[in-house]
Amino acid sequence: MLKKIKMSHDNIDLEDLNIILLLLSIIPYFISLIYGNNIIVIILLYLLNFELFYHLKKIKWISFLNYILPIIIIGYIFLSYLDLSFIQFDILKIVNYFIKFILGIYYLVNVFLIVKDRKIKYIKGRNRLHSHTLNELRKSNINKFYKNNLEYQEKYMNDLGIKNGSDYYKVINNNVKNKTINELEEYVTLNYLRFYKNKKYNKRNVFDKLNIVFIGIHVIILLLVFLVR
């Protein structure tokens, strides 16, 4: 059971997030970040970033922030239980602002990396091939392939002086037909497979379960900001 859960978790593809929804998520995130002073909200914002980072390519300086932030947050919790009245400035507020600043940078970098990778793949996959059936691909390309092979056949026979109606002519003519069919099937198969390979990219604007969970997490954190003070 745990293995299945971990496998499903590891197979999450952040590039399947709706790009508009991803960019709009910055708004509730930063509202939560600015107005959320409760330590629970801060921890949830960190965990959200950690989850995003987990599924992205590792970057050294982001990795550093990823592991230093928990230490700072734990230190902030301990400081909140200490008597710091002897310090002339509000050190808790300074640490709070620092944590929020780092969390803001952390989130923006994560979103940038997701958008950057997804945008490149989406543009590559979007215009490569329209949705056609196999028969439609055959009908739209059969004449082109046959014409090309026929021109090559005529040039070949003219160069060798082969006469129309001869046995050799009939063999070559049959070979041209077979060659056309084979080349057409290869072309159709490759393009049909390419279409379905890129279909995943074309569907990345679909509002699926992953997108619902993603925006749901932001909404829950935002609600906690105003409910938990």
Side-chain angles (χ1 to χ4, degrees), residues 23 28 49 55 67 98 103 119 133 159 189:
L23 295 176
N49 279 287
H55 297 285
Y67 297 117
F98 179 72
L103 285 173
K119 185 177 180 181
T133 65
D159 290 343
T189 302

Side-chain angles (χ1 to χ4, degrees), residues 137-138 141-142 145 180-188:
L137 282 171
R138 290 188 184 100
N141 289 280
I142 181 66
F145 278 91
T180 299
I181 293 172
N182 292 334
E183 288 179 353
L184 178 64
E185 286 304 308
E186 183 179 354
Y187 172 83
V188 168

Side-chain angles (χ1 to χ4, degrees), residues 20-36 41 44-45 48-49 103-104 107-108 111 211 213-226:
I20 297 175
L21 182 65
L22 181 63
L23 295 176
L24 288 176
S25 69
I26 295 175
I27 298 173
Y29 178 87
F30 273 89
I31 292 176
S32 302
L33 191 62
I34 293 169
Y35 295 101
V41 172
L44 289 175
L45 291 174
L48 172 60
N49 279 287
L103 285 173
Y107 188 78
L108 288 177
V111 170
N211 289 281
V213 172
F214 180 76
I215 196 62
I217 292 171
H218 287 77
V219 171
I220 290 171
I221 295 175
L222 185 59
L223 290 174
L224 284 174
V225 168
F226 298 104

Side-chain angles (χ1 to χ4, degrees), residues 142-184:
I142 181 66
N143 291 330
K144 180 181 72 174
F145 278 91
Y146 185 72
K147 182 181 178 181
N148 291 338
N149 286 320
L150 195 60
E151 289 176 355
Y152 177 78
Q153 172 201 6
E154 290 175 355
K155 184 178 182 303
Y156 177 77
M157 288 192 298
N158 289 334
D159 290 343
L160 295 180
I162 300 172
K163 296 180 180 180
N164 291 347
S166 66
D167 292 337
Y168 198 18
Y169 172 83
K170 293 178 181 178
V171 172
I172 294 175
N173 195 48
N174 288 332
N175 287 337
V176 168
K177 291 180 181 178
N178 291 332
K179 186 173 184 295
T180 299
I181 293 172
N182 292 334
E183 288 179 353
L184 178 64

Side-chain angles (χ1 to χ4, degrees), residues 27-188:
I27 298 173
Y29 178 87
F30 273 89
I31 292 176
S32 302
L33 191 62
I34 293 169
Y35 295 101
N37 292 316
N38 189 282
I39 191 62
I40 295 175
V41 172
I42 291 175
I43 291 173
L44 289 175
L45 291 174
Y46 165 73
L47 291 176
L48 172 60
N49 279 287
F50 179 84
E51 179 64 20
L52 294 176
F53 178 77
Y54 180 86
H55 297 285
L56 289 170
K57 297 175 182 177
K58 302 298 184 288
I59 301 177
K60 287 184 178 179
W61 70 275
I62 294 295
S63 297
F64 173 76
L65 290 179
N66 190 55
Y67 297 117
I68 199 69
L69 261 174
I71 298 174
I72 299 173
I73 292 172
I74 292 171
Y76 175 75
I77 295 172
F78 279 118
L79 285 175
S80 64
Y81 288 101
L82 296 177
D83 182 8
L84 303 175
S85 57
F86 62 92
I87 300 178
Q88 296 181 352
F89 55 90
D90 193 344
I91 189 172
L92 279 177
K93 185 176 288 187
I94 293 174
V95 176
N96 181 277
Y97 287 158
F98 179 72
I99 292 173
K100 287 183 176 182
F101 175 76
I102 298 299
L103 285 173
I105 297 296
Y106 196 1
Y107 188 78
L108 288 177
V109 171
N110 282 331
V111 170
F112 171 76
L113 291 174
I114 298 170
V115 172
K116 179 174 175 289
D117 289 344
R118 182 201 180 283
K119 185 177 180 181
I120 290 172
K121 289 191 174 182
Y122 179 73
I123 291 175
K124 284 182 178 178
R126 183 175 55 185
N127 296 321
R128 278 187 180 180
L129 187 69
H130 297 292
S131 175
H132 293 302
T133 65
L134 285 170
N135 285 331
E136 287 174 342
L137 282 171
R138 290 188 184 100
K139 290 178 181 178
S140 61
N141 289 280
I142 181 66
N143 291 330
K144 180 181 72 174
F145 278 91
Y146 185 72
K147 182 181 178 181
N148 291 338
N149 286 320
L150 195 60
E151 289 176 355
Y152 177 78
Q153 172 201 6
E154 290 175 355
K155 184 178 182 303
Y156 177 77
M157 288 192 298
N158 289 334
D159 290 343
L160 295 180
I162 300 172
K163 296 180 180 180
N164 291 347
S166 66
D167 292 337
Y168 198 18
Y169 172 83
K170 293 178 181 178
V171 172
I172 294 175
N173 195 48
N174 288 332
N175 287 337
V176 168
K177 291 180 181 178
N178 291 332
K179 186 173 184 295
T180 299
I181 293 172
N182 292 334
E183 288 179 353
L184 178 64
E185 286 304 308
E186 183 179 354
Y187 172 83
V188 168

